[in-house]
Amino acid sequence: MQRRDFIKKVGLGTVGLSVAPTVFAGVVGKKCNEKICRVAWEELCPTDGGAFEYVHPKKGVPNVLLYGDSISIGYTSTVRKELKDKATVFRFQRNGGSSDRLIPGLEKMERAMFQPHLEKGWDFEWDVIHFNVGLHDLKYLKGGKLDKENGKQVSSICEYKTRLTGICDYLLAKFPDAKLIFATTTPVPEGADGRFAGDSIKYNKAAMEVFKHYPSVIINDLYAYTKPNHKEWAIKPGNVHYNELGKTKQGKEVARLIAECL
């Protein structure tokens, strides 16, 4: 399928999202300029480095995209280290947040970084896309702050499934040659701010119901991998984030699965 035709196949309007059809940058064939790309990245993603540091594609080296929330931010550096000389690992330009942000976010990245939108910008195809949404969908907010007593859940399970279906249709249609890996949502412990323990299980179950219809998507069960070690890997009790040991272990597991796809 030609990527310019992906909108014709994907009914994105049914999930409340609209994306203008574009020609993916990889078909342009012009050499990209690192200085131009670096300036564009710094405008898109002002950063001091770390997970969000600029990386430049290398000829003949597979290109991997990591998309996800703060958990994925935590393991990005380890994935890059583990896949050094095997792949160029790009990180989405911000915390991916909830499921409604993925498609607009990737479209924003394309407009900012890829040819033909950016002259002498990135000019390649994604070989692997490792993505996750869920931890921000199941949280409760009031006035923009975590509040599970008085807040409203960002995405109901029904909304999550609908948006995840739209995401799968979008990724498969727009990036038909990329291998897709979905990471399950990591555990929510007892006492977590703005989230109820056990909701990760419910949302992961809902995700698996969606992925029954998308057998080509590889599942990285990061929940099952993390759960037995959560107490040792957590920053502190009741926190959904991980210490350096946890981030490193998760990163090695993510890198292992990506390497199998390269």
Side-chain angles (χ1 to χ4, degrees), residues 29-82:
K30 296 180 180 178
K31 185 177 181 181
C32 62
N33 181 287
E34 182 170 357
K35 182 177 181 180
I36 290 173
C37 293
R38 185 178 295 274
V39 170
W41 179 259
E42 291 174 354
E43 292 177 354
L44 176 67
C45 178
T47 176
D48 293 328
F52 297 101
E53 69 178 347
Y54 177 75
V55 295
H56 196 68
K58 300 177 182 178
K59 186 176 180 179
V61 178
N63 297 295
V64 175
L65 174 64
L66 298 181
Y67 183 101
D69 51 35
S70 57
I71 307 305
S72 70
I73 295 172
Y75 59 64
T76 293
S77 296
T78 297
V79 175
R80 284 179 174 154
K81 180 179 179 181
E82 292 294 308

Side-chain angles (χ1 to χ4, degrees), residues 23-32 114-116 118 120-125:
V23 179
F24 188 70
V27 303
V28 177
K30 296 180 180 178
K31 185 177 181 181
C32 62
F114 283 97
Q115 299 176 30
L118 176 65
K120 296 186 179 180
W122 287 346
D123 179 21
F124 62 82
E125 304 272 355

Side-chain angles (χ1 to χ4, degrees), residues 203-222:
Y203 278 69
N204 285 333
K205 181 180 178 181
M208 293 308 101
E209 291 173 0
V210 171
F211 285 113
K212 287 179 182 178
H213 304 287
Y214 300 95
S216 66
V217 179
I218 299 165
I219 304 301
N220 176 6
D221 196 353
L222 209 54

Side-chain angles (χ1 to χ4, degrees), residues 1-8 21-24 27 173-174:
M1 174 188 292
Q2 293 296 317
R3 296 199 172 173
R4 71 188 67 187
D5 296 329
F6 85 97
I7 286 295
K8 296 179 181 178
T22 59
V23 179
F24 188 70
V27 303
K174 190 164 188 181

Side-chain angles (χ1 to χ4, degrees), residues 164-176:
L164 194 53
T165 297
I167 287 169
C168 290
D169 288 341
Y170 167 83
L171 293 176
L172 287 167
K174 190 164 188 181
F175 310 112

